[in-house]
């Protein structure tokens, strides 16, 4: 097993590397196409703006590589936080930006209808299963806490949504579509729950 | 370590912390770790970043770094060492441009406004520069201005209560906190788990923090957490037994690159 973490200049990947190291799993942080093709699993990290992230992916040609790795090579791909949002079709952050289009969903800012709902949504929050067959949430009780920090969320189809959390509304906390996975939360910052979810991703795919 | 009304106490380095307090165990009972650089005088950001790395290696929760941040380069160094959020205090008054640039580049969720205050003669005064300089704006207006500026969270620290272990400053804050639209972390004064519970019950806050490791030695943190959950405080629940079971789960042979 060899995990490649995509290097496209948008990320805080030290903790992801630490988490994988804790699990005893080898990882590389790379933008080299051949290294990515050699990996068994791909992680797309990301912190920052959607627009900038897509621009970086496009400029390095990594957008096409990621699509090829996911759709043709069928490599298990996990997008984390902004990385999950990039899997969607588009985002309204800084205008309109097209995403990778690997998951049917659009990314929009939270628009709280109830007072007392704080944006950004920061902190641990419970994730409920949306689907019985979720691979990422396999073995979780259905009320497990994960760490979130975001102002935008993906509005996606029911079949892609694997888990939901509540922040004034139900929103997609994680998505699954075949070999393509995404978590809006940070598994690498979610205590034992997050480590267990990473094991699920690495072991069940 | 900053303690006793902001007098500095040296207790040891990151390694000492790990060894003396079985830090990874404590870390599995808290939601977030704030690592402050409280060294006086010239701050060595590189060494501070190395300390963060060492802690982050076995600590899978969000990490906040701050103390003496003066440039975007400082911030980059800390974020690439594994920090998730940056805490700013004096810069909120003296270098607003830096804070704005930080928020623009990394987003509101990355920036915590640290506010030190004193309560005296019925008024809540704000201090910067490690609590040494009082500013003209009162606490309520100051907090509003920080929210306006775009900080994602506020860490509110009582200088009078800090290090006393006698409980948080609560009554004077009650009305002020009701209308704050970003998450608020209360700090300064906790000595027992009941202080955490009292604060959550009395105030509109999102988190409590403590630096008082001496009062929470051994199982102090896990026990406090259990007591808080029993008292009905809405905290995240983790299976703490998982953590050891997951260590080296895949039995890596080749070191990572």
């Amino acid at each position: 097993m060899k995990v490649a973490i995509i290097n496209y200049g948008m990320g805080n990947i030290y903790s992801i590397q630490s988490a994988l190291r804790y699990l005893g799993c080898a990882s590389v942080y790379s933008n080299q196409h051949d290294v990515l093709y050699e990996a068994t699993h791909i992680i797309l990290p990301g912190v920052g703006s959607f627009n900038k992230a897509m621009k970086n992916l496009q400029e390095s040609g990594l957008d096409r590589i990621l699509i090829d790795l996911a759709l043709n090579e069928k490599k298990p791909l996990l997008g984390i936080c902004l990385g999950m949002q990039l899997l969607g079709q588009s985002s309204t952050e800084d205008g309109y930006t097209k995403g990778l289009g690997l998951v049917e969903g659009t990314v929009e800012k939270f628009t709280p209808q109830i007072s007392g709902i704080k944006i950004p949504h920061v902190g641990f929050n419970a994730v409920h299963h949306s689907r019985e067959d979720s691979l990422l949430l396999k073995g979780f009780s259905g009320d497990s806490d994960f760490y979130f920090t975001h102002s935008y969320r993906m509005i996606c189809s029911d079949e892609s949504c694997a888990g939901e959390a509540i922040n004034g509304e139900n929103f997609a906390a994680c998505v699954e579509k075949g070999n393509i996975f995404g978590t809006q939360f940070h598994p690498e910052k979610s205590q034992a729950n997050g480590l267990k979810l990473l094991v699920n991703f690495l072991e069940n795919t | 370590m900053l303690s006793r009304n902001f007098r500095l106490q040296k207790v040891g380095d990151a390694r000492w912390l790990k060894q003396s307090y079985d830090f990874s165990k404590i870390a599995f009972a808290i939601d977030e770790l704030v690592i402050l650089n409280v060294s006086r005088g010239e701050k060595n950001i590189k060494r501070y970043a190395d300390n963060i790395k060492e802690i982050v290696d076995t600590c899978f929760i969000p990490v906040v770094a701050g103390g003496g941040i003066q440039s975007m380069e400082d911030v980059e160094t800390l974020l690439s060492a594994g920090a998730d959020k940056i805490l700013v205090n004096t810069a909120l008054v003296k270098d607003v441009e830096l804070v704005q640039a930080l928020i623009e580049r990394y987003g509101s969720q990355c920036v915590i406004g640290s506010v030190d205050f004193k309560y005296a003669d019925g008024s809540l005064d704000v201090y910067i520069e490690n609590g040494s300089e009082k500013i003209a704006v009162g606490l309520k207006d100051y907090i509003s201005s920080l929210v306006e500026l775009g900080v994602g969270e506020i860490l509110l620290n009582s200088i009078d209560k800090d290090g006393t272990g006698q409980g948080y400053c609560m009554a004077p804050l009650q009305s002020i906190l009701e209308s704050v639209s970003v998450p608020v972390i209360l700090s300064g004064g906790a000595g027992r788990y009941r202080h955490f519970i009292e604060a959550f019950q009395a105030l509109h806050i999102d988190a409590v923090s403590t630096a008082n490791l001496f009062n929470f030695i051994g199982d102090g943190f896990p026990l406090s957490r259990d007591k808080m959950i029993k008292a009905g405080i809405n905290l995240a629940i983790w299976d703490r037994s998982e953590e050891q079971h997951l260590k080296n789960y895949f039995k890596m042979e080749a070191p990572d690159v």
Side-chain angles (χ1 to χ4, degrees):
Chain A
M1 186 187 303
K2 190 163 202 181
V3 181
I5 304 167
I6 307 281
N7 180 355
Y8 66 116
M10 295 297 288
N12 182 348
I13 50 99
Y14 192 82
S15 309
I16 298 176
Q17 289 174 313
S18 298
L20 293 172
R21 200 179 304 124
Y22 187 90
L23 295 173
C25 175
S27 72
V28 286
Y29 180 48
S30 178
N31 56 7
Q32 299 296 311
H33 300 180
D34 54 332
V35 174
L36 303 183
Y37 278 94
E38 274 168 26
T40 58
H41 294 75
I42 309 283
I43 292 181
L44 179 62
V47 173
S49 103
F50 192 102
N51 187 283
K52 176 94 184 345
M54 278 312 296
K55 210 175 270 172
N56 286 6
L57 285 176
Q58 282 156 358
E59 277 167 10
S60 53
L62 284 167
D63 57 336
R64 282 174 292 107
I65 300 292
L66 273 168
I67 291 168
D68 186 49
L69 287 167
L71 296 184
N72 301 324
E73 302 281 320
K74 298 278 179 214
K75 287 200 195 279
L77 166 65
L78 173 65
I80 296 175
C81 196
L82 175 64
M84 162 173 149
Q85 298 181 356
L86 294 171
L87 301 177
Q89 289 157 317
S90 65
S91 168
T92 55
E93 191 173 353
D94 305 319
Y96 173 91
T97 308
K98 230 173 141 245
L100 294 169
L102 292 167
V103 173
E104 279 160 38
T106 54
V107 179
E108 291 173 27
K109 193 166 186 171
F110 276 115
T111 47
Q113 307 294 325
I114 315 164
S115 69
I117 298 300
K118 295 180 176 184
I119 309 295
H121 171 227
V122 179
F124 281 90
N125 201 349
V127 173
H128 312 273
H129 291 238
S130 310
R131 279 182 6 207
E132 290 291 315
D133 64 342
S134 164
L135 290 176
L136 288 181
L137 296 175
K138 194 175 157 191
F140 284 101
S141 67
D143 265 329
S144 308
D145 282 284
F146 293 92
Y147 179 73
F148 291 85
T149 169
H150 61 125
S151 299
Y152 288 74
R153 85 293 196 211
M154 190 190 281
I155 296 165
C156 64
S157 62
D158 287 347
E159 54 268 33
S160 298
C161 183
E164 287 182 309
I166 302 171
N167 183 46
E169 63 179 55
N170 280 297
F171 70 92
C174 50
V175 292
E176 290 187 32
K177 189 186 170 192
N179 57 312
I180 298 159
F181 301 83
T183 60
Q184 181 56 66
F185 51 83
H186 288 269
E188 77 282 14
K189 295 283 173 183
S190 298
Q191 299 278 30
N193 285 350
L195 296 172
K196 202 167 124 185
L197 182 135
L198 287 173
V199 167
N200 276 349
F201 169 66
L202 297 169
E203 207 170 43
N204 298 326
T205 61
Chain B
M1 176 168 284
L2 200 60
S3 191
R4 295 277 168 218
N5 306 317
F6 280 34
R7 287 200 299 275
L8 213 51
Q9 253 178 307
K10 186 170 169 73
V11 293
D13 58 10
R15 197 163 293 143
W16 171 88
L17 184 72
K18 271 182 160 175
Q19 286 166 355
S20 311
Y21 286 96
D22 190 1
F23 193 72
S24 58
K25 197 170 158 191
I26 292 173
F28 275 94
I30 58 177
D31 298 75
E32 185 161 280
L33 180 67
V34 182
I35 309 169
L36 285 183
N37 183 1
V38 293
S39 59
R40 304 289 203 230
E42 191 76 21
K43 310 245 182 192
N44 185 337
I45 292 280
K46 173 78 176 56
R47 212 177 83 197
Y48 173 46
D50 287 341
N51 280 333
I52 291 175
K53 274 188 182 171
E54 205 168 313
I55 293 169
V56 168
D57 272 341
T58 53
C59 177
F60 306 108
I61 47 175
V63 169
V64 183
I69 286 166
Q70 289 181 328
S71 66
M72 290 299 270
E73 289 73 52
D74 290 351
V75 170
E76 273 161 36
T77 306
L78 298 177
L79 292 179
S80 56
D84 302 280
K85 305 179 192 180
I86 296 297
L87 188 119
V88 280
N89 186 316
T90 302
L92 293 166
V93 175
K94 298 208 166 165
D95 197 353
V96 178
E97 292 76 24
L98 174 66
V99 179
Q100 280 167 335
L102 240 168
I103 292 169
E104 194 171 311
R105 180 159 341 159
Y106 299 106
S108 285
Q109 83 291 335
C110 185
V111 183
I112 300 186
S114 158
V115 178
D116 296 323
F117 71 95
K118 278 186 194 172
Y119 179 62
D121 305 324
S123 95
L124 289 157
D125 302 319
V126 178
Y127 287 75
I128 54 170
E129 300 281 9
N130 290 315
S132 68
E133 187 181 327
K134 186 172 148 179
I135 65 166
V137 187
L139 184 63
K140 190 176 198 292
D141 292 341
Y142 187 60
I143 291 177
S144 304
S145 75
L146 298 188
V147 173
E148 184 89 353
L149 181 62
V151 303
E153 287 172 66
I154 287 174
L155 177 78
L156 199 51
N157 186 39
S158 160
I159 297 177
D160 322 288
K161 298 279 185 179
D162 191 58
T164 64
Q166 290 165 357
Y168 292 103
C169 170
M170 295 195 293
L173 295 175
Q174 208 137 28
S175 62
I176 285 190
L177 295 181
E178 268 160 24
S179 56
V180 181
S181 63
V182 300
V184 173
I185 307 163
L186 189 66
S187 169
R192 299 167 176 277
Y193 75 81
R194 67 174 169 82
H195 295 147
F196 300 143
I197 297 174
E198 282 164 7
F200 270 114
Q201 287 170 344
L203 298 172
H204 189 71
I205 52 169
D206 300 86
V208 288
S209 95
T210 181
N212 209 332
L213 277 177
F214 302 108
N215 286 346
F216 296 97
I217 50 171
D219 282 338
F221 279 112
L223 287 176
S224 296
R225 192 173 192 90
D226 293 344
K227 297 268 192 193
M228 289 166 79
I229 290 168
K230 272 206 191 97
I233 313 287
N234 184 14
L235 296 186
I237 297 168
W238 307 293
D239 184 355
R240 291 198 289 267
S241 65
E242 286 279 359
E243 149 222 356
Q244 283 309 318
H245 159 70
L246 292 169
K247 191 163 188 174
N248 206 22
Y249 187 89
F250 292 109
K251 302 184 173 52
M252 170 167 63
E253 280 158 26
D256 61 352
V257 189

